[in-house]
Amino acid sequence: MRILLLGSGGREHAMAWKISQSPLCSELFIAPGNAGTALCGTNTELDIMNFNDVASFAKNKKIDMLVVGPEAPLVKGIADHFKNKADLRHIHFMGPEAAGARLEGSKAFAKTFMEKHDIPTAAYRSFTAKQLKEAIDFIEHGKPPFVIKADGLAAGKGVVITNSKKEAHTVLHSMLEERLFGEASSTVVVEEFLEGEELSVFVATDGQTYCMLPTAKDYKRVGENDTGPNTGGMGAVSPVPMADKNLMQLIGDRVVIPTINGLQSDGIPYCGFIFFGLMIVSGNPYVIEYNVRLGDPETEVIIPRLRSDLVKLMLDCCTGNLARHRAEISPQTAVTVMLCSGGYPGSYQKGYTVSIPEGSGNGQLFLAGVKQTDNRLITNGGRVVAVTALANNVKQAVSDAYTQAKRVDFDNMYYRKDIGKNI
Ligand code: AMP
Ligand code: GLY
């Protein structure tokens, strides 16, 4: 099969690395890709939000399968674009149509969906710009901490948690009135603060049945001991020891199955991945967010643990054969450490030379914000390289990942030193 993968992060390098190993893949294109994906297939300069361009490319290159890494094109309807055109419909499309992508694209929609299908989540109210006064009254009479979320996509910056009523008011004003995130904050969700342990759960689904992928823990804050601002993720571990058989059974029964059944009963087709961002409160799972894609950097620990064929898994999703699919997962532990540009998630410099060690050692590097120019690798983003190690226990995987991390070098490199150490 000729496969086109959309995206340009460490997640896409990990996916491209795995896809290119599949006997089912004859040729892989990545748009726009990065210096890492270029090692696995052919990068192509496409604007992935321009669906006509993506479609022309797919037709020209006789693409058989299209896989979408990030959420933005899905929320904007790239899957609909392909499914609605007679000459594109034959392409196996891994990623939901806009109706399903609303699970991530609108937090208010996700909340209504969960309420309707009895899926445990934090209690909430949603408010539009016209209801600013009601939102402020709600905070005034509520108990801190306050969790305020922009309804739409806000590049990971749309959630504010604060103990201060004053700050909560300011946030409501800036989101609803000043449209801090444009249309994305024309509605906000204010929800109950849940105290517990976070866990990321992933499935591949054809909308009828699902295949459970490895669990992961993401380290979201920039600083050690979970301090400082939120980032896209500074590292990850898989599996998460807390996610034992009992907890996974509860998650299946209370969260995953009701979600898939809910999509079906609401007439929402869904072929793709679902990433459940969960909070485990006294042993009980609550959904804090849905994502309609794999996570980054979670993919960099999930994919190395997937022993079976990722392309076969996706093909089985697209062709309604998922019920018979058996994914084989390694019992080993994977740890990834994100090497970042100093300053991230605030402002940072790009263009520094990245030096990557010769020979792999016991680790796998997934490149994220790295660009190749004139035979030189240069930094091109906040999250630059994900260093993943796979070992028989978490301690060894942590040690191997940090040994590899020390061999990578670029100016102003920063990374957390405590990934996997508190698990
Ligand atoms: P989200 O973008 O929805 O994943 O939220 C970002 C982060 O905010 C999550 O990873 C949690 O750490 C935190 N968070 C979101 N919702 C809640 C909640 N209801 N209670 C506690 N923490 C939350
Ligand atoms: N690492 C969190 C995410 O991909 O949304």
Side-chain angles (χ1 to χ4, degrees):
M1 269 192 309
R2 298 163 64 80
I3 303 177
L4 171 61
L5 168 67
L6 305 186
S8 61
R11 167 181 52 211
E12 284 74 22
H13 185 188
M15 292 175 89
W17 174 77
K18 186 73 181 167
I19 290 171
S20 67
Q21 294 166 31
S22 168
L24 294 171
C25 175
S26 57
E27 192 153 9
L28 173 63
F29 296 92
I30 310 95
N34 63 29
T37 62
L39 304 170
C40 313
T42 310
N43 282 351
T44 173
E45 266 306 320
L46 276 180
D47 172 3
I48 63 172
M49 298 304 277
N50 184 332
F51 303 159
N52 283 324
D53 283 2
V54 178
S56 300
F57 181 84
K59 273 193 278 190
N60 284 339
K61 295 292 180 189
K62 301 196 166 44
I63 295 299
D64 303 299
M65 175 184 273
L66 204 153
V67 183
V68 184
E71 64 281 11
L74 294 169
V75 170
K76 195 178 159 202
I78 190 168
D80 309 67
H81 188 93
F82 275 70
K83 294 202 171 145
N84 291 338
K85 294 212 165 59
D87 55 343
L88 296 169
R89 203 171 288 148
H90 65 282
I91 297 177
H92 298 303
F93 202 102
M94 191 63 182
E97 291 156 68
R102 281 187 87 198
L103 283 180
E104 177 165 1
S106 167
K107 292 201 189 279
F109 170 78
K111 283 296 202 181
T112 312
F113 176 87
M114 287 187 268
E115 203 168 39
K116 180 171 173 195
H117 299 291
D118 255 336
I119 296 163
T121 187
Y124 79 104
R125 288 270 310 267
S126 67
F127 301 95
T128 61
K130 284 200 189 105
Q131 297 167 308
L132 176 62
K133 193 176 165 311
E134 282 164 76
I136 287 177
D137 277 355
F138 186 69
I139 295 286
E140 208 42 55
H141 296 105
K143 263 203 326 245
F146 304 105
V147 181
I148 303 174
K149 301 184 174 184
D151 178 53
L153 298 183
K157 299 196 174 92
V159 177
V160 176
I161 301 179
T162 176
N163 278 314
S164 142
K165 282 188 178 169
K166 195 164 163 241
E167 190 187 349
H169 290 176
T170 310
V171 169
L172 287 173
H173 270 287
S174 66
M175 283 194 187
L176 287 174
E177 213 164 50
E178 290 153 22
R179 297 283 167 104
L180 179 62
F181 301 112
E183 254 320 285
S185 66
S186 60
T187 299
V188 298
V189 166
V190 179
E191 68 179 34
E192 169 200 12
F193 180 81
L194 296 174
E195 184 109 51
E197 286 287 317
E198 281 186 64
L199 173 68
S200 302
V201 167
F202 302 85
V203 302
T205 180
D206 57 4
Q208 316 284 318
T209 182
Y210 67 93
C211 170
M212 190 63 90
L213 296 171
T215 57
K217 173 182 165 68
D218 178 17
Y219 290 75
K220 285 206 166 83
R221 301 291 198 91
V222 73
E224 272 129 44
N225 304 313
D226 299 326
T227 51
N230 258 328
T231 68
M234 299 295 291
V237 178
S238 175
V240 184
M242 163 181 65
D244 59 12
K245 240 183 156 165
N246 284 343
L247 181 58
M248 290 314 286
Q249 178 82 38
L250 272 186
I251 292 169
D253 292 346
R254 294 188 191 165
V255 174
V256 180
I257 293 171
T259 298
I260 293 184
N261 290 347
L263 287 168
Q264 243 181 79
S265 65
D266 288 351
I268 300 174
Y270 199 109
C271 176
F273 297 103
I274 308 181
F275 162 178
F276 301 85
L278 304 178
M279 188 72 85
I280 311 301
V281 184
S282 313
N284 294 306
Y286 290 80
V287 177
I288 45 179
E289 62 166 351
Y290 284 113
N291 297 297
V292 297
R293 53 175 172 84
L294 292 177
D296 194 353
E298 291 91 334
T299 306
E300 290 92 308
V301 287
I302 291 173
I303 291 289
R305 292 190 59 224
L306 181 65
R307 282 184 176 155
S308 45
D309 188 340
L310 175 63
V311 176
K312 177 80 169 78
L313 171 67
M314 297 191 294
L315 186 63
D316 283 347
C317 279
C318 297
T319 53
N321 287 310
L322 194 60
R324 283 190 292 280
H325 187 91
R326 292 287 164 267
E328 198 192 325
I329 310 293
S330 160
Q332 289 187 301
T333 295
V335 168
T336 197
V337 178
M338 262 296 173
L339 311 181
C340 300
S341 300
Y344 172 79
S347 60
Y348 55 84
Q349 297 284 320
K350 293 183 186 177
Y352 294 124
T353 300
V354 182
S355 133
I356 304 258
E358 289 284 329
S360 62
N362 182 17
Q364 175 69 43
L365 303 189
F366 295 118
L367 308 189
V370 182
K371 189 163 98 175
Q372 173 128 26
T373 46
D374 316 323
N375 287 333
R376 219 161 47 98
L377 296 177
I378 58 167
T379 63
N380 189 40
R383 296 191 294 173
V384 179
V385 180
V387 185
T388 299
L390 191 63
N392 287 338
N393 58 63
V394 66
K395 209 165 161 213
Q396 189 62 49
V398 166
S399 157
D400 289 352
Y402 280 109
T403 303
Q404 280 291 87
K406 288 194 193 97
R407 300 175 63 206
V408 178
D409 188 48
F410 54 87
D411 282 359
N412 285 344
M413 180 166 93
Y414 167 78
Y415 57 91
R416 269 178 71 161
K417 310 289 188 301
D418 63 344
I419 305 300
K421 292 190 179 163
N422 62 343
I423 196 156

